Every structure is written in C-alpha cells, then in structure tokens.
Amino acid sequence: MRCLNCQNEFQGDYCPHCGQSAATRRFTIKNAFSSTLEVWGMGNRSLPRTLWHLFRRPGIMIGEYIDGKRIPFFPPVKMLFVLCVFYALLQPVMERRKDPVQKDIQTEINAHGQKTQAIGKDASEEEREKLRMENTALTVVGFVKDSMEWLQAHKAVQLLCLHSFFMVFACWLFRKSPLRPCTNLAENFYAQVYMSCQLTAMSIPYALIFAPKGSTFDFYPLPSELMLIVLVWDFKQLFGFGWRTTIKKTILLTILSMTALCAIVGIIVAVATLLAGTTGE
C-alpha cells in the first residue's frame, strides 16, 4: 500500500513514516459531512456521549481521562470552546440586553470629557486637581468595563482564567487523596476544564428556562448552591475522599480561588490607577 501523503510503501492501518491513516481516500460528500460533524463533536469521540458521562458519572469519567483513557472522550478544551459557541448562539434567544450600569458609565465618561473642555485653562488649581482625580477614576472604571466586556464576549477564555485558580488550589488540597494522590497541575487543569464543560452545559438550558431577561452573568447563571453540589459530587468521585471531607475541601477551594481572583483583579486595578494618574499629570 502506498501512502498518499509521503508516497511511502507500507502495510498496516497507518503509515510508519508520516502517520497518515491507510483509510485516507478521495473526498466525497459522505466523508466531508462526517468531518464537519466531527469538528462539532459528533464523530467517534462524541461530545454528546462525553456530556452524558459528565452528568452520569463525572468524577469517574474525568479520572479515567486523566489516567490515560482518552480515545472514548471528547477533548476537554475543544469541548469547552464548542459549548461556549452554543452558549453564545443562544444569547439572542435569551434577549440579553446591555447592562444599564455600563451605559451610565459611558455617559458619565462622555459628560466628564465635555466638562473638562468647557472649563479649559480658566480653572483654578483646586478645580484642575478635582478634574484630574475624576478623570483618573473614570479612566480606571472604563478600563475595567472594557475588560469585563471583552471577557464576556470570550466566554471560554473567561472560564479558563477562572478555573486556573481552582486548578492551583485543587492540586494542593487534594494532593493526598485516596484514589489519585499527587496529581500534578496539568492533570488538575484538564479536570477543571471538564468541570467547566459540565457547568456550561447545565447553564444553557437553565439560562433559557429560569434566567430573567436582560440579566448579566459573570461566569455561570446557575445558583451557587447547585454549583457547590455539582463540584462536591465531581471531587468525591475523582479523588475518593468521604463526603464530609470533600464538602470541606470544596468550600475551602472555592473561597481560596475567589479570594485569589479578587486579589489579582485588585492588583490590576491598582496598577491601572497608578498608570492613569501618571498619564493625567
């Protein structure tokens, strides 16, 4: 058999020289359709089947993926991006409107610019200092608003950033677990991405059915109690601690992760404030 990619003669299912499958043939409508479905998770590594396992036995499935059973399951990062595309497509159906607070902020920034031009050079030193402080504050608020809007528009990146904090603390808190002791950061990263996929998949029907129109969600539109229950269930199956220990560790994990996230955001805002103040001078 001759490889269509490198022209190497071989026998078997794959070319030993370049790795291309021996089943590679001329394009047809059938295989083009199959390839398109595979991109959206409908091929051999089925996204719906992986979601079914995430709802039925999430921690066990995640553990199997970490332990090396990769072929039956859809890749987690790709799965998260696909689910976020579906979530974004549903936004018009949910009639999500722009946050009124963000509109007020933009109006205030524009009004302040007009006020500054109107006062001009005739302002006293005290008025100039007051305007400079107001300008710094509005610049920082505008920067934060633009950053939040960008993250809302790139849902998968937003969730990966959030679960990166969970990854670090989960690696530390569950390092002596009965089932999988000493999991590394990379393994916890993939575990967290699968958990994010699970929560995102739950968010889609929840947002359509229960969420009020025009509301804005930071991460997931799910109740905090429901997300805590889901995470406890995931960690219980994944690491094998008892229910009481798993609940304590999951609550501590959430507190530490959100505290670290708020601290990082606070540092970024402080740096932006210093830069804006330096520019204003």
Side-chain angles (χ1 to χ4, degrees), residues 167-259:
M167 166 195 73
V168 173
F169 292 107
C171 186
W172 173 58
L173 289 171
F174 293 95
R175 67 190 183 280
K176 296 181 180 180
S177 64
L179 292 181
R180 291 175 181 85
C182 300
T183 54
N184 58 37
L185 281 175
E187 290 168 336
N188 279 279
F189 169 76
Y190 285 114
Q192 286 299 318
V193 175
Y194 265 133
M195 292 178 191
S196 180
C197 292
Q198 181 189 35
L199 294 172
T200 303
M202 293 173 62
S203 298
I204 294 172
Y206 183 89
L208 285 172
I209 299 170
F210 298 107
K213 294 180 180 179
S215 59
T216 301
F217 309 122
D218 291 331
F219 297 110
Y220 304 103
L222 302 169
S224 301
E225 298 82 1
L226 177 59
M227 288 192 288
L228 181 61
I229 291 172
V230 171
L231 290 176
V232 169
W233 184 29
D234 294 346
F235 286 125
K236 172 69 171 65
Q237 292 186 351
L238 178 60
F239 293 111
F241 282 111
W243 283 108
R244 183 176 297 180
T245 303
T246 304
I247 292 171
K248 290 179 181 178
K249 287 182 177 292
T250 304
I251 292 174
L252 181 58
L253 168 65
T254 304
I255 293 173
L256 290 173
S257 300
M258 298 311 295
T259 301

Side-chain angles (χ1 to χ4, degrees), residues 4 20 116 153 228 245:
L4 298 178
Q20 179 160 292
T116 304
L228 181 61
T245 303

Side-chain angles (χ1 to χ4, degrees), residues 6-23:
C6 65
Q7 306 303 313
N8 179 50
E9 294 286 346
F10 71 99
Q11 290 184 350
D13 295 329
Y14 294 92
C15 173
H17 186 260
C18 69
Q20 179 160 292
S21 173

Side-chain angles (χ1 to χ4, degrees), residues 8-46:
N8 179 50
E9 294 286 346
F10 71 99
Q11 290 184 350
D13 295 329
Y14 294 92
C15 173
H17 186 260
C18 69
Q20 179 160 292
S21 173
T24 304
R25 294 290 181 269
R26 183 178 179 181
F27 280 121
T28 63
I29 296 297
K30 180 181 179 181
N31 61 35
F33 183 70
S34 299
S35 298
T36 303
L37 288 178
E38 192 170 332
V39 171
W40 294 98
M42 305 300 176
N44 293 329
R45 304 172 76 179
S46 171

